[in-house]
Amino acid sequence: MDLLSIENPSFLQNLTKKELEQLSEQIRSFLIKTLSKTGGHIGPNLGVVELTIALHRAFNSPKDKIIWDVGHQCYVHKILTGRAKDFHSLRQYQGLSGFPKMNESPHDVWETGHSSTSLSAAMGMAIARDLKGEDYFIVPVIGDGALTGGMALEALNHIGHEKKNIIVILNDNEMSIAPNVGALHNILGRLRSAGKYNRAKDELEALLKKIPAVGGKMAQTAERFKDSLKYLFINGVFFEELGFTYFGPIDGHNYDDLFENLKYAKKTNGPVLLHVVTKKGKGYKPAENDKIGTWHGTGPYKIETGDFIKPVDSKPAWSKLVSETVRKLARDDERIVAITPAMTVGSKLEGFQEEFPERVIDVGIAEQHAATVAAGLATQGMKPYLTIYSTFLQRSYDQLIHDICRQNLNVFIGIDRAGLVGADGETHQGVFDIAFLRHIPNIVLMMPKDENEAQHMIYTAIQYDNGPIAMRFPRGSVYGVELDNKLKKLPIGTWEVLREGTDYAILTFGTTIPMALEAAKKLEKYGIQTKVINARFIKPLDEEMLRSLLHNQIPILTIEEAILQGGFGSSVLEFACDNGYTDHEIKRMGIPDRFIEHGDVKNLLHEVGLTSDNIVQTIKNEIQKLIKRA
Ligand SMILES: Cc1ncc(C[n+]2csc(CCOP(=O)(O)OP(=O)(O)O)c2C)c(N)n1
Ligand SMILES: CC(=O)[C@@H](O)[C@H](O)COP(=O)(O)O
Ligand SMILES: [Mg+2]
């Protein structure tokens, strides 16, 4: 089979089981080979090869809606729906997305990247289908990790109550990114060993039907027996009590099991949950043997050895620097407890967890819960360190307002992956946190210019006991600057002049400082002296420094690798306006009012105009305008 020639999944109907098994192996080697160059979510996708093929054989996509939860495991789906030929561009600028995208294929019926949305989306589609009197299957595929997300449980509750015809496929590989956690994970563990309960129930029913009816008594006994069978055989009662017909657990790599159970599921009225047990990374030893989530999402690697191919000058990740700094401070401060919503590996907490196993709390994919656990800890005098990607912090918005800031609790939030993240695209760009945080009373928000300032900020945050304080930091590696041995507390709300100048002032922070300094240097050639200020406290602003710029009528350019609407630049505009400087020249550069797709961060920065050349051009244009107006 030439994978590149596949246009749609209809060909699957005519394949024998042997041919399907050959196709599985072909897709596996295609994935292993292609992803060794592009990187991507190799583990999750190797685990769903047979499942995806079986789903596309049992259902008629896109009439039947196959919905991928998180969506990181959609590569096989993309191969079967005519996109194998695009995989060389996977997760690259203007290339194939690593998640479902409606503009790529009609088979991508739901876009995602954040976990636990598939069941709610399925419910919405089911309500629409039934209101319109249409007839098609709706099949959300959710992982055991995603099932721990609050939204998923809210949806299970609703679907079961409404008895909607939805076939939930639970892809259980016992892994979130790292090994899965929580009570639900334990229930699934018991289920995995429960054997084929449902078949026994059907055989029993068939048997009882053969016994001549002796009136309600027998039927009642039979019903009670059937129910006790259910209780006897499975803890899947968790799902059955929610109103689902539970099937499984079945072997998600066995076509006979898959086809037989999908046939049952299609014939069953009301909500069904088919529990499929798979092996994450199946078919590639390094990924199969991965115990901690290293092969969940990777960069390029050497196929033969499984060694990752890192850039030559690779320096430690920002997450590592931050987590290790907090870990060091935790040695002398027992109040410190780290909380992560299922991102132990991404947030580089392994070392911290090894040294202080009871002081690193992985709550599962549960960002709302994580934020309020942190709040609860702070009420008891602890110093919780909530480490969370900017994009996933969006899930905890109400908890930030209602629980942490309103009660003014001493929570330290490490906002990881702040700014453009690159390959994960729109659903993961960490560009909204400034806009959704800075208007919340009591919060301090800061961003370091480099890893040395970061460690001082972390020390400041741990010492800070006037309420919530957040430090945002980017994805990727640190700069490699020298680290001070002695940490000091930074005065809250103070900025730092990095370069003097009187013709123009650039206010910026974090990752856009280097380009600002580069632009200032280039502007000197045009006789323009540009002040560059490290506006490291996004909230509160350094009002003294800002006031002096305004008072001395120095035109201002704010630059942020964050959404412009409601961002840092907006706060400078508000300050100027509120303090009577309504005619002061203030220009803003940042992420425009649209979602930014996947691609290398350098390309994305260029696309949105965040380059030193564009800064130069902007300031030159503004000065020209000022001269004309004078
Ligand atoms: C709201 C949210 N939080 C965290 C993540 C990061 N994340 C991506 S995949 C994943 C684990 C998903 O586990 P599971 O659903 O079991 O899928 P598997 O990778 O095992 O196939 C996590 C935590 C996310 N995408 N969305
Ligand atoms: C699919 C998902 O949400 C995670 O796997 C995410 O891609 C991790 O991002 P990092 O690679 O930045 O840790
Ligand atoms: Mg899983």
Side-chain angles (χ1 to χ4, degrees):
M1 160 68 64
D2 171 11
L3 299 182
L4 305 186
S5 66
I6 298 173
E7 289 300 320
N8 62 59
S10 56
F11 73 99
L12 293 169
Q13 304 305 330
N14 320 316
L15 296 191
T16 62
K17 191 175 105 174
K18 185 120 190 66
E19 287 165 332
L20 289 171
E21 282 160 355
Q22 283 159 356
L23 176 63
S24 309
E25 290 328 303
Q26 217 184 330
I27 287 177
R28 265 198 178 86
S29 10
F30 174 83
L31 286 173
I32 292 166
K33 191 156 157 281
T34 313
L35 271 67
S36 72
K37 296 191 181 56
T38 62
H41 288 94
I42 179 84
N45 282 282
L46 288 174
V48 295
V49 175
E50 287 79 15
L51 175 60
T52 309
I53 291 171
L55 289 173
H56 273 295
R57 193 168 189 267
F59 296 100
N60 173 24
S61 167
K63 177 172 186 273
D64 295 336
K65 313 295 173 207
I66 300 176
I67 302 166
W68 299 96
D69 201 290
V70 182
H72 62 315
Q73 78 297 57
C74 70
Y75 300 179
V76 182
H77 161 80
K78 290 201 171 186
I79 291 167
L80 297 175
T81 52
R83 288 168 274 181
K85 56 189 179 306
D86 306 318
F87 264 76
H88 62 281
S89 68
L90 181 67
R91 293 159 49 91
Q92 289 150 47
Y93 188 60
Q94 294 173 340
L96 190 69
S97 168
F99 297 95
K101 281 279 170 282
M102 292 181 191
N103 64 14
E104 284 181 11
S105 165
H107 293 274
D108 293 9
V109 295
W110 177 251
E111 296 197 3
T112 184
H114 283 196
S115 166
S116 319
T117 65
S118 64
L119 304 187
S120 305
M123 184 59 172
M125 293 178 197
I127 294 167
R129 172 196 61 194
D130 299 348
L131 283 173
K132 293 195 275 183
E134 289 169 349
D135 179 21
Y136 50 81
F137 291 99
I138 296 173
V139 189
V141 183
I142 186 164
D144 56 307
L147 195 65
T148 63
M151 267 187 85
L153 303 176
E154 291 165 16
L156 283 178
N157 181 46
H158 186 209
I159 294 167
H161 182 259
E162 299 297 319
K163 303 245 171 297
K164 280 293 177 190
N165 284 341
I166 294 174
I167 299 174
V168 175
I169 307 291
L170 170 56
N171 170 33
D172 179 8
N173 52 25
E174 300 183 67
M175 295 285 279
S176 183
I177 292 183
N180 204 357
V181 295
L184 201 54
H185 169 63
N186 301 335
I187 291 178
L188 296 181
R190 286 199 297 278
L191 276 171
R192 283 190 285 274
S193 54
K196 296 180 176 51
Y197 155 76
N198 238 55
R199 211 74 35 48
K201 192 174 77 167
D202 285 2
E203 278 145 28
L204 172 79
E205 271 165 351
L207 177 73
L208 290 172
K209 276 194 190 105
K210 285 190 191 119
I211 301 166
V214 284
K217 194 96 182 73
M218 180 54 152
Q220 262 176 13
T221 319
E223 204 46 44
R224 262 205 307 282
F225 179 62
K226 201 175 81 181
D227 281 351
S228 59
L229 183 79
K230 179 165 83 176
Y231 281 92
L232 186 69
F233 267 76
I234 61 154
N235 305 300
V237 66
F238 174 80
F239 299 106
E240 299 256 344
E241 290 302 292
L242 282 171
F244 284 74
T245 301
Y246 171 85
F247 287 83
I250 67 164
D251 176 355
H253 304 294
N254 177 307
Y255 281 117
D256 292 334
D257 267 14
L258 284 164
F259 292 135
E260 186 193 2
N261 281 275
L262 287 169
K263 192 178 72 202
Y264 265 102
K266 289 171 78 172
K267 282 190 310 187
T268 304
N269 258 332
V272 168
L273 187 132
L274 173 56
H275 182 187
V276 177
V277 179
T278 61
K279 177 74 188 143
K280 202 162 183 174
K282 184 168 174 71
Y284 183 55
K285 277 288 164 252
E288 267 193 29
N289 301 334
D290 173 23
K291 295 284 175 276
I292 59 161
T294 319
W295 286 87
H296 171 81
T298 73
Y301 53 87
K302 286 202 186 88
I303 296 173
E304 318 65 50
T305 60
D307 293 335
F308 295 123
I309 301 167
K310 288 198 177 322
V312 175
D313 69 339
S314 67
K315 297 184 186 61
W318 268 96
S319 322
K320 184 91 183 156
L321 179 279
V322 175
S323 294
E324 285 300 291
T325 305
V326 178
R327 173 189 180 184
K328 277 184 219 138
L329 294 171
R331 287 179 187 142
D332 306 320
D333 186 341
E334 287 179 354
R335 300 174 305 147
I336 298 173
V337 174
I339 299 127
T340 172
M343 301 306 280
T344 317
V345 177
S347 300
K348 298 277 185 277
L349 284 168
E350 301 99 322
F352 196 147
Q353 190 166 42
E354 205 181 304
E355 185 170 355
F356 301 106
E358 71 292 354
R359 291 165 65 188
V360 174
I361 318 286
D362 177 356
V363 297
I365 308 181
E367 288 80 7
Q368 297 176 337
H369 174 59
T372 303
V373 164
L377 276 160
T379 62
Q380 304 308 306
M382 302 300 281
K383 185 73 176 186
Y385 167 57
L386 171 62
T387 170
I388 187 165
Y389 290 19
S390 166
T391 191
F392 302 141
L393 183 62
Q394 291 160 194
R395 281 276 170 94
S396 323
Y397 183 62
D398 184 50
Q399 290 70 25
L400 285 162
I401 294 178
H402 181 268
D403 301 326
I404 295 176
C405 294
R406 192 185 49 76
Q407 298 186 95
N408 203 33
L409 296 172
N410 293 336
V411 174
F412 170 31
I413 305 168
I415 306 175
D416 195 343
R417 273 53 171 192
L420 294 169
V421 295
D424 276 334
E426 301 103 311
T427 52
H428 285 63
Q429 308 294 10
V431 296
F432 301 102
D433 60 88
I434 296 175
F436 71 71
L437 285 175
R438 73 169 185 86
H439 56 258
I440 307 178
N442 298 337
I443 196 159
V444 173
L445 177 60
M446 55 190 174
M447 184 168 197
K449 67 169 181 283
D450 57 32
E451 60 270 35
N452 187 44
E453 187 166 66
Q455 54 170 13
H456 292 300
M457 281 191 172
I458 294 164
Y459 178 71
T460 305
I462 298 292
Q463 303 304 318
Y464 184 73
D465 55 8
N466 291 335
I469 185 165
M471 180 185 82
R472 65 195 303 269
F473 53 95
R475 185 175 197 277
S477 311
V478 294
Y479 296 106
V481 302
E482 204 179 322
L483 297 179
D484 297 338
N485 287 324
K486 184 138 182 43
L487 301 186
K488 62 181 191 297
K489 271 172 41 174
L490 300 173
I492 300 294
T494 58
W495 292 346
E496 177 195 22
V497 176
L498 297 175
R499 180 195 174 96
E500 279 302 352
T502 50
D503 299 326
Y504 227 94
I506 298 176
L507 306 184
T508 191
F509 44 83
T511 49
T512 39
I513 285 181
M515 67 173 75
L517 289 168
E518 196 186 330
K521 213 156 164 217
K522 290 175 183 172
L523 283 160
E524 252 180 349
K525 283 203 299 280
Y526 303 95
I528 298 168
Q529 298 307 322
T530 312
K531 185 190 276 270
V532 177
I533 291 171
N534 170 19
R536 58 194 176 181
F537 283 91
I538 296 153
K539 179 176 189 179
L541 299 172
D542 183 331
E543 295 192 1
E544 193 189 326
M545 193 176 286
L546 190 48
R547 214 181 286 282
S548 85
L549 292 173
L550 295 165
H551 181 72
N552 296 317
Q553 296 181 329
I554 298 180
I556 291 170
L557 170 66
T558 64
I559 306 173
E560 55 202 298
E561 191 183 314
I563 202 88
L564 276 171
Q565 267 74 342
F568 167 73
S570 302
S571 66
V572 171
L573 285 172
E574 289 160 17
F575 181 85
C577 187
D578 296 348
N579 289 276
Y581 297 96
T582 44
D583 59 354
H584 197 94
E585 272 305 308
I586 299 172
K587 187 98 182 124
R588 297 178 300 148
M589 285 174 73
I591 306 287
D593 185 18
R594 60 183 172 84
F595 292 103
I596 306 300
E597 292 207 343
H598 54 280
D600 180 83
V601 171
K602 217 161 165 343
N603 288 330
L604 299 179
L605 286 169
H606 190 266
E607 180 187 297
V608 297
L610 286 175
T611 63
S612 66
D613 287 344
N614 197 32
I615 295 169
V616 169
Q617 202 46 55
T618 302
I619 289 179
K620 281 172 68 185
N621 295 346
E622 291 307 305
I623 288 188
Q624 280 308 319
K625 278 190 229 163
L626 288 170
I627 293 167
K628 278 197 191 117
R629 224 180 289 154

